[in-house]
Amino acid sequence: MSAPDVFEDDDCVSECALAPALVEAVLACAAAPDAASTELFQTLATTNNPRFWDSKNRCKQWCDKSRRPFTMQFPAILEPVGKYAHLDPYFSLPTLRQANVKDIRTVKAQFQLRVLDDAYPKEAVNCSIKAQNTLMYLGSKCEKEREADKREVIQFMRSAGTTNERQFTIHTEHLFPDASEATQETVPEFSLEDFESTDMRFTADVIKERFSPKKKKVPTRAERGIADWTLKDMPDPQGLYRSAIEHYALEDVPVVVPNVRDAAGLLMHPSEYTQKITGPVPVVVDVNLRLWTFGPDERRPNGSRVYQTGLRSMRLLPTTGAAKGLFTKPATKATEGKGKRKADGPAGQASPAKRGASQSKAA
C-alpha cells in the first residue's frame, strides 16, 4: 500500500464528505511503513511472544522478528467522554478516598478510541480495523496458552457498555513517576551558640523557621515552560493534589508530558486535554503492546492479567482545510529502545503547552 504523490482537493471531496486535509492525513497514515496491516502483522515474532524487554518494567511486551518491540500506527476516533476515558484534571487517580504516594506515582492518562466509520476512505478504515484485529488475535492467542490459571483477564479491546462495540484503550506512561515519600528528616544546622542558648525551646516549628535552608525564588506557573510544571501547578478543583502534597510533601514532583499533539503539531500539556478535545475527533496513534500479570489480591483472588496498549505518540488530525502535501513521503519506521522515549518537537508560546521553548518528555 502506498500513498499517492499528490492529493487533489476534487478527488478528496468526491471520495467522501470529509475535509481534503483530513482525507490526506488518514490516507498517509494508512500508507506508512508501521501502519496496521497484514504485512506489519507478519513481522511479529512467532515464538516467545510476548517477552520481557525492559528490565525497569515488570510487564512483557510483544516484539517483532528483529527482537525489537512491536509497534503499530493507525487512525481512529478519539472519544474524550466514555467508560475508559480518564483525562484531566485527575486522570486515573482514585477520587473517593485520600490519595497516597503510590496513587500519585502511578497516575496515567487513558484515552478511549474507536474504529473509523465508513465515512472515511476505505484504505484508512481497513487500517483502523486491522489494528483492532491485531489486538483481538494476539489477546485470543495468548489466552489459549494461559487459560488454565483462571486469572481475571482485562483484554486490549474493551466493551463500551450496553453496545457490543469494542474500544481501543490507550494508556500513557505515568505522569508523576518521581513521587515518593521522604524517608528521613532534614538535619538542621545547629551552632555552638545555639547549643549555649537556654532561652528558647527548639520545637519542630522553631527549627524549621530558624535553621531550614533559604529557598530559592521559584518561577510562577506563567513563567515556566511546559517542561517545568510540577504537581502543585496542576488544576485541582477538588483539592485532591493539594491534600496529597500536604501529607507527603510532593509539591515539586515534575509532570511528565506525553507525546500528544494538536492538529497543528503543538505539544499538548496533560492539563489541556479536556480544553482542546471537546468532542470526538480523528487521530493517528502509535502504540506498543504489553502484558501485565498480577498475583491474587482482595478484589481478584485468582490474580489478574491485563493487556495494555501503550501510547508512544498521538496527533489530532485536521478536520478543515485543503490538502497541503504534508504526507506525501513515506515515513521511516521508528524503532523503540529501552527506557523512556522523548518528544522531539517544540511547543508554542501561549497556553501551558505553548509556553516552553521545547519539550523532551513523551510516552
Side-chain angles (χ1 to χ4, degrees):
M1 183 187 299
S2 60
D5 291 337
V6 177
F7 295 95
E8 297 292 345
D9 289 4
D10 291 342
D11 294 339
C12 295
V13 172
S14 63
E15 186 169 1
C16 56
L18 305 175
L22 176 56
V23 174
E24 176 190 52
V26 294
L27 286 175
C29 171
D34 55 354
S37 64
T38 300
E39 292 75 18
L40 185 74
F41 176 81
Q42 291 172 344
T43 67
L44 279 159
T46 55
T47 60
N48 189 27
N49 220 9
R51 67 190 68 168
F52 289 107
W53 166 256
D54 187 346
S55 60
K56 297 179 182 178
N57 289 325
R58 294 178 296 171
C59 66
K60 291 184 176 182
Q61 190 159 330
W62 271 264
C63 295
D64 60 23
K65 293 176 181 177
S66 299
R67 301 181 181 180
R68 305 291 294 177
F70 175 82
T71 65
M72 69 177 176
Q73 172 180 294
F74 58 93
I77 303 297
L78 169 61
E79 299 180 326
V81 177
K83 182 177 179 179
Y84 302 108
H86 300 307
L87 306 181
D88 56 291
Y90 295 117
F91 311 99
S92 63
L93 184 72
T95 58
L96 299 180
R97 60 174 173 81
Q98 169 65 50
N100 58 37
V101 173
K102 182 180 179 182
D103 293 330
I104 297 293
R105 185 172 60 248
T106 56
V107 164
K108 299 178 179 180
Q110 188 169 296
F111 300 97
Q112 177 176 305
L113 283 68
R114 60 178 168 83
V115 171
L116 292 183
D117 56 53
D118 291 337
Y120 288 81
K122 181 179 179 180
E123 296 89 340
V125 174
N126 288 346
C127 179
S128 194
I129 292 174
K130 284 291 186 180
Q132 170 193 260
N133 293 353
T134 298
L135 299 179
M136 296 288 285
Y137 175 82
L138 292 178
S140 175
K141 181 176 184 294
C142 198
E143 280 308 298
K144 286 182 180 179
E145 299 168 354
R146 294 166 170 81
E147 59 186 357
D149 64 9
K150 298 182 180 180
R151 294 179 188 269
E152 181 176 333
V153 176
I154 299 176
Q155 278 286 0
F156 284 124
M157 301 294 295
R158 303 180 187 177
S159 172
T162 56
T163 68
N164 292 323
E165 184 178 7
R166 294 278 172 165
Q167 306 282 353
F168 298 102
T169 305
I170 312 297
H171 302 255
T172 69
E173 299 291 348
H174 296 149
L175 300 180
F176 316 116
D178 293 340
S180 61
E181 189 172 1
T183 57
Q184 66 179 48
E185 294 186 28
T186 302
V187 179
E189 294 183 6
F190 200 83
S191 67
L192 288 174
E193 289 77 9
D194 296 320
F195 169 77
E196 294 294 344
S197 174
T198 59
D199 299 329
M200 182 179 296
R201 294 185 181 276
F202 291 98
T203 63
D205 290 339
V206 171
I207 290 175
K208 182 176 180 180
E209 179 182 351
R210 292 191 56 186
F211 302 107
S212 295
K214 300 296 182 183
K215 291 187 177 181
K216 298 179 181 179
K217 181 182 181 298
V218 179
T220 65
R221 187 167 70 177
E223 295 171 332
R224 299 180 187 181
I226 189 172
D228 301 321
W229 275 45
T230 60
L231 184 60
K232 65 176 177 289
D233 299 316
M234 294 294 291
D236 189 17
Q238 298 179 37
L240 302 183
Y241 293 137
R242 173 52 52 190
S243 179
I245 287 171
E246 292 175 351
H247 277 81
Y248 307 109
L250 303 176
E251 62 269 16
D252 294 325
V253 171
V255 180
V256 171
V257 181
N259 192 358
V260 178
R261 298 178 182 272
D262 63 19
L266 297 177
L267 195 64
M268 297 168 58
H269 194 276
S271 66
E272 294 184 310
Y273 291 160
T274 55
Q275 298 174 37
K276 291 194 171 184
I277 308 171
T278 57
V281 61
V283 298
V284 56
V285 62
D286 188 6
V287 301
N288 55 32
L289 313 181
R290 297 173 177 174
L291 175 62
W292 297 84
T293 303
F294 299 98
D297 56 28
E298 293 181 358
R299 293 178 57 193
R300 301 175 178 88
N302 293 321
S304 59
R305 192 160 40 250
V306 179
Y307 294 82
Q308 186 183 82
T309 314
L311 178 75
R312 298 178 71 234
S313 68
M314 183 167 66
R315 179 169 175 174
L316 279 60
L317 297 179
T319 55
T320 60
K324 299 179 180 179
L326 299 178
F327 304 95
T328 56
K329 294 183 179 179
T332 301
K333 178 174 171 59
T335 57
E336 178 177 289
K338 295 184 179 181
K340 297 180 180 178
R341 292 184 58 85
K342 298 183 178 181
D344 56 2
Q349 296 296 329
S351 61
K354 301 178 184 177
R355 281 196 283 267
S358 64
Q359 167 60 26
S360 62
K361 299 283 187 181

